[in-house]
């Protein structure tokens, strides 16, 4: 039996379409947004018109009828040029819309998904807290029943897409009760933007992803209807674990794109840059760096596509998602460092894309589960954790 890793025609067409969009639309203008720490509204709206935010959702909800493999392909092609744009799509789909699609009521889906799939509205997922970090089970935000409302108090940090002009809702995890053993029961609740008591802080000053929106959120006696509960009460922790498993595939695809973008830019530079009377690409030291960079990106692509394929087939994919996320994020950092080295002094200048890639790469080892957490998950899947 032979394995065929070629993409089906429809996915190859999607890849080419997003590749052209990234190079023709994103690349010429994203640098200015990045340096100004500004959200690229025209680019994001065009992504919405292309249907990218609806890729893995059924047509009945306004989606494109694709799957997570299609989403990953789009994320990889975008991240080859810019990660701020890619993470805006990833968070909008995996964290903003997917919880509603997987766990929401039919009424919630009908109300929100059509707008989320077209990019008319962006959603966010309020999970991480200032004192929590990787301990997402240590949620302190509370939601208490009061008549026909939930009353929410607490705060969240590092929340992507939470404060743009397009943001329509944040799905918030909160403690809604206690189990018999005293452990918290965590639920997920929709908080629409503009709800009284829901405060969105100014954007963070970040090392990278400077053209994406990331903020701290606070909730002071925020009232929303009981009907805003997403899924079963007390099942929010289990729900977000599934969301994170799937999101790791998306982050792995994004990281692969960044790693491949480092190869693309470095090959171009190695051909054009002359030193001592010849292109620097003629030096074996540079050739070996480029070969190793390509090897890493190639292997990372196989890893995330394998995890996505398992997910699409309905097979268990937790270990494969963690493996893909761990490997791709770490090689993205390595490729970004090597690309900067190949570019020399120019690699330290923000006018060159590799400088942006270098700044954007580190967060990939942290977001949606740190490298340490991925190793814990893999060990557990091996039966030793």
């Amino acid at each position: 039996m032979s394995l065929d890793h070629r993409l089906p025609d429809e996915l190859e067409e999607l890849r080419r379409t997003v590749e052209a969009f990234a190079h023709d639309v994103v690349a010429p203008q994203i640098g200015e947004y990045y340096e100004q720490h500004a959200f690229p509204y025209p680019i994001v709206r065009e992504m919405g018109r292309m249907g990218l935010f609806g890729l893995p959702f059924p047509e009945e909800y306004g989606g494109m009828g694709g799957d997570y493999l299609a989403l990953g392909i789009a994320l990889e092609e975008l991240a080859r040029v810019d990660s701020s744009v890619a993470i805006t799509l990833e968070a909008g789909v995996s964290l903003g819309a997917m919880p509603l699609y997987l766990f929401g009521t039919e009424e919630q889906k009908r109300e929100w998904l059509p707008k989320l799939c077209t990019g008319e509205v962006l959603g966010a997922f309020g999970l991480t807290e200032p004192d929590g970090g990787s301990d997402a089970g240590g949620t302190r935000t509370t939601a208490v029943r009061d008549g026909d409302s939930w009353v929410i108090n607490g705060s969240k940090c590092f929340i992507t897409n939470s404060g743009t002009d397009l943001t329509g809702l944040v799905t918030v995890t909160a403690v809604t009760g206690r189990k018999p053993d005293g452990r918290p029961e965590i639920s997920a609740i929709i908080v629409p933007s503009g709800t009284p008591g829901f405060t969105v802080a100014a954007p963070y000053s970040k090392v990278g992803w400077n053209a994406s929106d990331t903020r701290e959120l606070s909730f002071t006696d925020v009232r929303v209807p009981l009907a805003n509960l997403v899924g079963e009460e007390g099942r929010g922790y289990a729900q977000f674990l599934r969301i994170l498993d799937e999101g790791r595939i998306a982050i792995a695809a994004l990281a692969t794109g960044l790693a491949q973008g480092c190869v693309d830019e470095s090959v171009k530079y190695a051909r054009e840059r002359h030193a001592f009377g010849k292109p620097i690409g003629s030096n074996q030291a540079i050739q070996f760096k480029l070969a190793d960079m390509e090897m890493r990106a190639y292997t990372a692509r196989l890893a995330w596509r394998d995890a996505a394929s398992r997910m699409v087939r309905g097979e268990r994919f937790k270990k494969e998602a963690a493996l893909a996320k761990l490997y791709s994020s770490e090689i993205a950092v390595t490729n970004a460092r090597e690309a900067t080295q190949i570019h020399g002094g120019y690699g330290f200048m923000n006018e060159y894309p590799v400088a942006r890639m270098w700044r954007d790469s580190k967060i990939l080892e942290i977001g949606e589960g740190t490298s340490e957490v991925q190793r814990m998950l893999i060990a557990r899947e091996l039966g030793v954790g």
Side-chain angles (χ1 to χ4, degrees):
M1 182 182 69
S2 63
L3 293 176
D4 188 350
H5 294 289
R6 291 175 296 180
L7 294 175
D9 291 344
E10 65 273 14
L11 290 181
E12 177 59 25
E13 182 179 356
L14 170 67
R15 191 199 66 77
R16 291 179 183 273
T17 298
V18 180
E19 178 186 36
F21 172 75
H23 284 277
D24 298 342
V25 177
V26 178
Q29 56 182 317
I30 194 61
E32 184 175 354
Y33 286 105
Y34 195 93
E35 290 307 306
Q36 294 178 357
H37 292 238
F39 190 76
Y41 286 101
I43 294 175
V44 173
R45 289 191 173 98
E46 181 61 26
M47 289 162 57
R49 288 190 288 269
M50 293 172 64
L52 299 187
F53 287 96
L55 277 173
F57 302 111
E59 294 178 7
E60 64 178 301
Y61 297 118
M64 300 294 287
D67 53 32
Y68 239 75
L69 187 56
L71 174 64
I73 288 166
L75 289 170
E76 181 179 336
E77 292 302 323
L78 288 172
R80 286 177 73 165
V81 170
D82 180 72
S83 291
S84 293
V85 169
I87 195 59
T88 298
L89 175 62
E90 191 278 334
V93 175
S94 299
L95 302 178
M98 194 58 73
L100 300 181
Y101 173 63
L102 291 178
F103 309 113
T105 64
E106 190 62 26
E107 182 179 354
Q108 290 169 347
K109 293 177 185 178
R110 297 291 177 188
E111 178 182 0
W112 290 107
L113 284 181
K115 294 179 285 188
L116 291 167
C117 285
T118 60
E120 175 187 349
V121 165
L122 290 178
F125 192 66
L127 171 63
T128 307
E129 299 192 356
D131 294 329
S134 296
D135 182 16
T139 298
R140 295 186 179 182
T141 297
T142 61
V144 178
R145 288 175 178 265
D146 184 19
D148 60 356
S149 300
W150 294 106
V151 180
I152 304 172
N153 285 278
S155 62
K156 302 290 181 179
C157 62
F158 312 139
I159 309 304
T160 305
N161 291 348
S162 58
T164 75
D165 294 344
L166 301 175
T167 304
L169 77 154
V170 179
T171 301
V172 178
T173 54
V175 177
T176 52
R178 293 283 170 181
K179 298 179 181 180
D181 60 5
R183 290 183 300 161
E185 288 187 341
I186 298 174
S187 303
I189 301 171
I190 297 171
V191 180
S193 298
T195 302
F198 174 25
T199 303
V200 180
Y204 288 105
S205 174
K206 297 175 293 188
V207 172
W209 284 358
N210 287 336
S212 71
D213 180 79
T214 316
R215 306 187 189 227
E216 186 171 357
L217 312 177
S218 64
F219 306 87
T220 305
D221 293 332
V222 173
R223 285 182 173 270
V224 298
L226 293 178
N228 282 24
L229 178 72
V230 179
E232 298 179 34
E233 184 175 347
R235 293 285 297 169
Y237 188 79
Q239 290 171 195
F240 83 70
L241 287 179
R242 176 173 173 181
I243 293 296
L244 290 179
D245 282 340
E246 296 182 359
R248 288 177 184 122
I249 298 175
I251 291 295
L254 191 158
T256 300
L258 187 150
Q260 188 65 59
C262 289
V263 178
D264 299 341
E265 293 297 327
S266 296
V267 168
K268 177 183 175 182
Y269 186 80
R271 289 171 175 166
E272 296 175 350
R273 173 66 169 163
H274 284 66
F276 304 104
K278 60 181 180 179
I280 65 170
S282 64
N283 296 314
Q284 196 175 68
I286 300 296
Q287 294 170 3
F288 281 10
K289 281 184 182 292
L290 292 171
D292 286 345
M293 290 166 66
E294 176 71 7
M295 174 186 66
R296 296 183 196 107
Y298 179 86
T299 306
R301 183 174 301 108
L302 293 177
W304 84 253
R305 287 188 182 180
D306 175 63
S309 296
R310 290 171 185 268
M311 176 186 166
V312 170
R313 293 195 300 265
E315 300 172 3
R316 185 173 177 82
F317 65 93
K318 181 184 286 287
K319 181 182 72 174
E320 288 74 17
L323 286 166
K325 197 275 182 181
L326 174 62
Y327 180 76
S328 62
S329 62
E330 294 195 343
I331 67 100
V333 173
T334 301
N335 273 18
R337 184 182 67 248
E338 294 286 53
T340 303
Q341 191 71 18
I342 289 171
H343 280 69
Y346 290 110
F348 204 63
M349 301 296 112
N350 285 326
E351 64 186 280
Y352 281 79
V354 294
R356 194 165 68 239
M357 293 171 178
W358 185 41
R359 292 162 67 178
D360 290 341
S361 63
K362 181 57 189 176
I363 187 61
L364 298 171
E365 295 182 314
I366 299 171
E368 298 216 24
T370 63
S371 292
E372 292 76 13
V373 167
Q374 303 312 310
R375 288 181 166 87
M376 290 167 54
L377 292 172
I378 295 165
R380 191 176 302 157
E381 288 295 302
L382 292 174
V384 295

